Amino acid sequence: MVNKKKDTTVIVGGGHAAGTLLTALLQKKYQHEVVLVSDEPHPPYQRPPLSKSYLAGEVDQSSLYLKPRSVYENAGQQLRLGVRVEGIDRYAKSIKLSDQSTLKYDRLVLATGSHVRRLKAPGSDLKGIHYLHDIADTDALRNQLVPGKRLVIVGGGYIGLEVAASAIKKGVNVTVLEAAERLMQRVTGPEMSTFFYAKHTAAGVDVRLGTAVTGFEAGDKGRVAGVTLADGGNVPADIVLVSIGVIPETTLAENAGLLCDDGIVVDEFTRTDDRDILAIGDCTRHRNLFFEKMQRLESVANAVDQARTAAATLMGEEMPYDSAPWFWSNQYDVRLQMVGLSQNHDQRVLRGTTNDKGFAVFYLLEGSVIAVDAVNLPIAFMVGKQLVQQRKSVSADALSNTDIELKSLI
Ligand SMILES: Cc1cc2nc3c(=O)[nH]c(=O)nc-3n(C[C@H](O)[C@H](O)[C@H](O)COP(=O)(O)OP(=O)(O)OC[C@H]3O[C@@H](n4cnc5c(N)ncnc54)[C@H](O)[C@@H]3O)c2cc1C
């Protein structure tokens, strides 16, 4: 009897997308060899706690891991950690690694995520200027957050604001500088921005809107001492966190000649324009049947859903990506849950009163619910998920009337 050689599937990346794919392949009893290569020293892990419970010191590092390393290895999946993939040879179907070895693949999955957008301004290489994307970044920042220190956060998006909430609780003096006229402007509507502005200022955070940063001032020993502003002002600082977004990590794909457009372009089955290469997670610009247009999303739900779709594709099944995106953020005692994309709405409906006891904003387009943001109101998020997924038409009066049970609207 001739033993048929097993194919090898190589996954590049060590984030939520790569880790979920490993698990999904295990669950599906995928018969081929699986090798994961990540340039991080950890088994695949989740990033959300990096600006929340892990930064606050409430959970330890191992709780970030999606699974202990032994689970994958006991199941025969290989993890090559701390090794960077430097190139893809699509003709030889092999990848070149930073330890100078090469690895052959039959199928390759790129789950290379994103990297932080750096602020290029005078003084941006001074010590004490932090970014937040991986475990090492949080460890470095957490050590600095001691009472009385002055932390300046550049960027009023959800990561910057989560850090502000943790830091102020630790007795740090926190200033948030946001260039736009409201907080989290890219992802949410004015009601939520106003609510979070009030939360942060009540907690003692100095939030400055419409405030653009032009550079950093040096103090002793090459450390940052302040942040300079476009209006000529200056904010003294002992520590700075720059949190101004991420850029999809497409270098490998671009160098290999794969189609990229602010993200590796993939279809609803996570396939690139090379039939043997898939891509999933933050690094993609993807087709999700739920939307008319291609999307690029930075969220755990997107990483997980695409990883499950990729597992099906690798198994030869057809499971197109077709789900409404969702997201969450924790700041103080507030849990914000969001579903859908609100940007194109033509009507907003507030349910409840904007306070900690729970309220929601429904975003409608031509009468259909396209997105919901819920604060401490999980029922609005759960019902909202179904309304958004079904693109359900619901009257504004019914959505705002708290005497009408939300469940009855599904
Ligand atoms: C601080 C923080 C808080 C967040 N909070 C939330 C939240 O509350 N809710 C939410 O939905 N989302 C949140 N996100 C976003 C979410 O974590 C990302 O959307 C998710 O991690 C995307 O997963 P990914 O696997 O696609 O990419 P990533 O998690 O970025 O993983 C990519 C991996 O690929 C590796 N890699 C890249 N290039 C190479 C290479 N050439 N060779 C080898 N390895 C390589 C990287 O080192 C990394 O391990 C947060 C992100 C951060 C940073």
Side-chain angles (χ1 to χ4, degrees), residues 6-7 9 20-34 75-77 308 311-312 314-317:
K6 276 188 177 181
D7 280 357
T9 297
T20 306
L21 177 57
L22 282 184
T23 309
L25 291 175
L26 276 182
Q27 284 163 350
K28 285 179 173 285
K29 303 201 181 348
Y30 188 60
Q31 291 298 314
H32 301 291
E33 251 183 70
V34 177
Q77 296 179 324
R308 291 187 181 141
L314 289 169
M315 293 291 293
E317 300 162 4

Side-chain angles (χ1 to χ4, degrees), residues 301-327:
N302 174 58
V304 167
D305 287 343
Q306 279 197 303
R308 291 187 181 141
T309 294
T313 302
L314 289 169
M315 293 291 293
E317 300 162 4
E318 291 216 334
M319 193 186 96
Y321 184 18
D322 181 13
S323 39
W326 57 272
F327 195 80

